[in-house]
Amino acid sequence: MMAMENKTADATLESLHRIFTVPEAPDSTLSMIEQEISQNLNQFLNTHIASREKALADIEQDFCSAEIPEHPTFVSDHTQFLLNKLVAQSVHTSAPSFIGHMTSALPYFLMPLSKIMIGLNQNLVKIETSKAFTPLERQVLGMMHNLIYNEKNGFYQQWMHSADHSLGAFCSGGTIANITALWVARNNVLKAEGDFKGIAQEGLFRAMKHYGYDDLAIFVSERGHYSLKKAADVLGIGRENLIAISTDENNRISLPALNDAILKAKANNIQPLAIIGVAGTTETGNIDPLDELATIAEQHGCHFHVDAAWGGATLMSNRYRHLLSGIERADSVTIDAHKQLYIPMGAGMVLFKNPALMSAVEHHAEYILRKGAKDLGSHTLEGSRSGMSMLLFSALNIISRPGYELLINNSIHNAEYFANLIQDSPDFELVSAPELCLLTYRYVPQRTQAALALANDEQKAQLLDVLDKLTISIQKHQRESGRSFVSRTRIHSVQWQRENITVFRVVLANPLTTSDILKNVLMEQQELARQSRHLPLILSLTEQILD
Ligand SMILES: *Cc1c(COP(=O)(O)O)cnc(C)c1O
């Protein structure tokens, strides 16, 4: 137990009481941290996160004991351990040169506000433990619903706080949001009818017998997020029945291929469960043609879900929201607030166009979640849940829609700048141009680019193989040196008619990322390429081809 400073660290009931009130002597290490964090979060992170990375195996050495301590530790001692062993080896996701992932910097005010949230410790599953937080969360869902669907005629006054309806669900992230959307879609396709009490009551096996389907299928482009596979798995649909539709040269779902796949399924007595459009794919950031997808879904009477976990925040921008047009026709939409809305991890949402749709998953229990009550838990997959929606509520108020628009527009502007920089650098190749603020590229020496265009199949394959190795090696060394970070992925290359090539992936969300930082990222990569043991082979293959 965390005994107090200046006392022996012993676990008496008296000292246990104290940890639920206030410490007698202010705890020095904790106070220092609180002060540093509230005065200058970035400085705190810069000071305490080591710039050089330790090998994971070495870090594991600090976390390898399975013994639950038999003796209490002073808070200060323990905090010091955290600073040295945990914070020091953490990833500096808020650094302006950390441009590899969707996880980015946070506004400073969320730190103290999250303390209020944790201090209050409300449980959003039921009103009895979240009297004010439940209306707040319903309002947040209403605001996000409005952002997507912009319903009129008193729609929000009517449904926002209605006991038997739900505009959506707040959850821990895009994965749960996607599962929830498909759960609702599944239960509506296999709903009660005649003597059949519905899949929620009778299960998938009897539902399939009742409806006489041989199978169910979900359609999404091959760029769909892996969380959809998890959803297909847990909902009993099966990963194989998540049908991956091919994409065009812009990484968008091919509509003819989608139509063919749906017709083929129907001809085989396979019931389409949902069509999913991706608004901002994880690997290339592209947006499917949502309006056309909505029309196809309508024609087949099929649930239309849009996975806008990452890209949905673009709706905040009046300049760019047209890129997602058609999203307002979706039956359900996933948006993560912990991506481009700058909220800490654990803030996902699913919104439903029709406030009655979620009744397909409604669940009641006697001691809580009584029928007709307004408990959020009757419609959520998760049970006990924190008041995370408060942080989104605060950020929406403090930053406001135009503030978010500035952030979104700035990110897109930065991505365009970086794309131009790549295109102007002879030894780099832009692989996927940014539609939003995500792009992919790789290092290919200028002469090698010329050689690739002339190479025969065998030479090309050989060259692309070494280029993959070079990309991997540059990315690893850049990460290890700790100055900047880009991620890497493998994507289908239309240009080189190749199954997959390895590329750098950049997500530009941090408003503090400057053009100098972006220039330095390329310079560092150029330097790492020169030092790489793969480069000589690439250059000699290049000269063989060009000779
Ligand atoms: C991030 C993401 C998800 C998964 O969301 P989590 O919050 O990580 O669970 C799903 N789909 C897309 C398109 C995403 O970008």
Side-chain angles (χ1 to χ4, degrees):
M1 212 285 314
M2 322 96 217
M4 294 307 119
E5 216 116 34
N6 308 325
K7 303 226 171 202
T8 47
D10 57 358
T12 65
L13 196 54
E14 193 191 335
S15 68
L16 283 166
H17 278 169
R18 266 197 307 270
I19 64 160
F20 288 95
T21 53
V22 273
E24 279 168 2
D27 184 274
S28 57
T29 317
L30 267 192
S31 316
M32 182 267 290
I33 291 175
E34 293 215 29
Q35 212 170 12
E36 281 185 34
I37 286 185
S38 53
Q39 275 170 5
N40 192 336
L41 175 66
N42 252 321
Q43 194 179 315
F44 169 81
L45 296 173
N46 289 338
T47 310
H48 293 283
I49 298 180
S51 62
R52 276 195 165 269
E53 203 180 271
K54 241 197 216 175
L56 184 60
D58 291 337
I59 298 174
E60 281 170 355
Q61 293 305 308
D62 294 325
F63 300 95
C64 60
S65 167
E67 302 296 323
I68 296 172
E70 273 302 317
H71 297 287
T73 309
F74 285 118
V75 175
S76 272
D77 294 343
H78 177 69
T79 311
Q80 204 57 54
F81 169 84
L82 291 181
L83 280 183
N84 296 341
K85 303 294 187 187
L86 187 72
V87 181
Q89 296 307 325
S90 289
V91 177
H92 198 339
T93 56
S94 70
S97 56
F98 183 91
I99 54 172
H101 284 302
M102 292 169 173
T103 306
S104 167
L106 297 174
Y108 82 94
F109 56 79
L110 291 176
M111 249 49 66
L113 289 184
S114 60
K115 274 196 183 175
I116 296 180
M117 176 193 102
I118 289 171
L120 286 169
N121 199 29
Q122 305 290 288
N123 186 348
L124 277 281
V125 75
K126 54 190 185 290
I127 304 248
E128 286 175 0
T129 50
S130 65
K131 200 158 167 198
F133 272 65
T134 292
L136 170 138
E137 185 162 296
R138 283 178 177 271
Q139 184 187 358
V140 169
L141 289 169
M143 289 158 119
M144 299 311 287
H145 192 283
N146 192 10
L147 180 69
I148 299 164
Y149 298 109
N150 190 23
E151 299 284 1
K152 303 277 191 258
N153 303 324
F155 178 93
Y156 296 103
Q157 283 67 26
Q158 187 175 359
W159 302 119
M160 199 187 275
H161 297 286
S162 158
D164 297 322
H165 296 80
S166 174
L167 298 181
F170 206 96
C171 54
S172 68
T175 301
I176 302 294
N178 282 338
I179 292 175
T180 305
L182 293 170
W183 181 27
V184 168
R186 187 199 68 169
N187 288 14
N188 275 313
V189 164
L190 304 173
K191 60 176 178 282
E193 181 187 78
D195 285 343
F196 177 61
K197 295 197 285 285
I199 181 176
Q201 224 41 49
E202 298 201 25
L204 186 60
F205 189 73
R206 279 197 244 160
M208 298 298 275
K209 273 214 310 211
H210 172 80
Y211 279 97
Y213 301 139
D214 282 334
D215 225 332
L216 301 168
I218 302 169
F219 304 88
V220 67
S221 95
E222 58 192 353
R223 291 264 169 275
H225 190 266
Y226 62 82
S227 59
L228 299 170
K229 287 206 178 133
K230 294 185 185 174
D233 176 357
V234 297
L235 292 171
I237 313 299
R239 290 181 205 167
E240 281 186 6
N241 294 318
L242 181 74
I243 313 292
I245 309 297
S246 58
T247 47
D248 64 17
E249 65 282 4
N250 292 315
N251 300 294
R252 297 185 192 124
I253 191 166
S254 154
L255 297 173
L258 172 65
N259 262 319
D260 289 351
I262 295 173
L263 292 177
K264 187 171 155 212
K266 282 187 156 176
N268 288 314
N269 193 30
I270 298 169
Q271 172 67 17
L273 180 64
I275 295 172
I276 302 175
V278 190
T281 68
T282 314
E283 284 156 303
T284 60
N286 293 102
I287 302 163
D288 281 334
L290 303 180
D291 210 34
E292 287 85 340
L293 287 179
T295 302
I296 293 176
E298 231 166 62
Q299 283 164 358
H300 294 281
C302 182
H303 185 103
F304 177 38
H305 176 64
V306 173
D307 184 0
W310 176 70
T314 312
L315 295 169
M316 290 283 192
S317 164
N318 288 345
R319 188 189 300 173
Y320 292 110
R321 71 167 286 145
H322 69 90
L323 294 173
L324 276 69
S325 71
I327 196 171
E328 71 285 351
R329 297 173 64 193
D331 295 300
S332 55
V333 174
T334 288
I335 295 190
D336 264 344
H338 61 219
K339 286 175 181 164
Q340 292 198 81
L341 291 174
Y342 301 91
I343 302 301
M345 220 72 63
M349 281 164 289
V350 57
L351 289 311
F352 291 89
K353 187 180 178 79
N354 175 353
L357 213 56
M358 275 201 105
S359 60
V361 296
E362 206 170 279
H363 186 90
H364 295 285
E366 271 316 312
Y367 72 110
I368 51 163
L369 319 180
R370 295 176 196 94
K371 259 197 154 63
K374 295 187 174 185
D375 304 308
L376 290 162
S378 58
H379 290 105
T380 55
L381 176 58
E382 289 167 271
S384 296
R385 225 161 29 77
S386 76
M388 219 38 205
S389 46
M390 175 196 124
L391 299 186
L392 178 55
F393 178 77
S394 298
L396 290 172
N397 278 282
I398 293 169
I399 298 174
S400 83
R401 205 274 315 153
Y404 271 115
E405 162 146 31
L406 284 175
L407 291 168
I408 297 285
N409 292 358
N410 182 66
S411 298
I412 294 178
H413 172 84
N414 275 350
E416 282 165 2
Y417 172 85
F418 195 45
N420 287 332
L421 208 61
I422 291 164
Q423 280 177 318
D424 292 344
S425 310
D427 293 340
F428 284 93
E429 177 186 78
L430 185 65
V431 177
S432 65
E435 193 170 356
L436 299 173
C437 59
L438 198 163
L439 59 83
T440 63
Y441 68 104
R442 61 180 184 161
Y443 177 88
V444 187
Q446 191 172 19
R447 279 179 72 77
T448 307
Q449 292 177 33
L452 271 174
L454 297 172
N456 63 34
D457 284 352
E458 196 188 326
Q459 291 168 320
K460 195 155 67 186
Q462 208 181 356
L463 209 40
L464 289 173
D465 272 341
V466 208
L467 282 169
D468 282 351
K469 289 190 181 123
L470 178 66
T471 308
I472 294 169
S473 136
I474 295 173
Q475 193 266 350
K476 271 174 81 171
H477 284 105
Q478 190 165 28
R479 191 190 73 207
E480 282 162 10
S481 85
R483 278 185 294 274
S484 53
F485 172 79
V486 306
S487 58
R488 67 165 199 266
T489 186
R490 279 175 72 71
I491 58 175
H492 175 83
S493 164
V494 179
Q495 187 182 3
W496 305 118
Q497 302 100 41
R498 187 165 156 106
E499 193 65 357
N500 278 312
I501 59 169
T502 301
V503 293
F504 304 123
R505 170 175 168 273
V506 158
V507 190
L508 287 163
N510 189 327
L512 302 180
T513 303
T514 60
S515 50
D516 277 344
I517 288 174
L518 296 177
K519 283 179 196 151
N520 284 334
V521 165
L522 289 191
M523 265 162 34
E524 196 182 354
Q525 291 180 331
Q526 189 122 33
E527 187 50 42
L528 288 169
R530 277 195 206 105
Q531 295 164 10
S532 166
R533 65 189 171 87
H534 300 295
L535 191 63
L537 178 55
I538 290 172
L539 295 179
S540 80
L541 287 170
T542 299
E543 296 314 317
Q544 276 172 33
I545 295 168
L546 291 179
D547 259 353

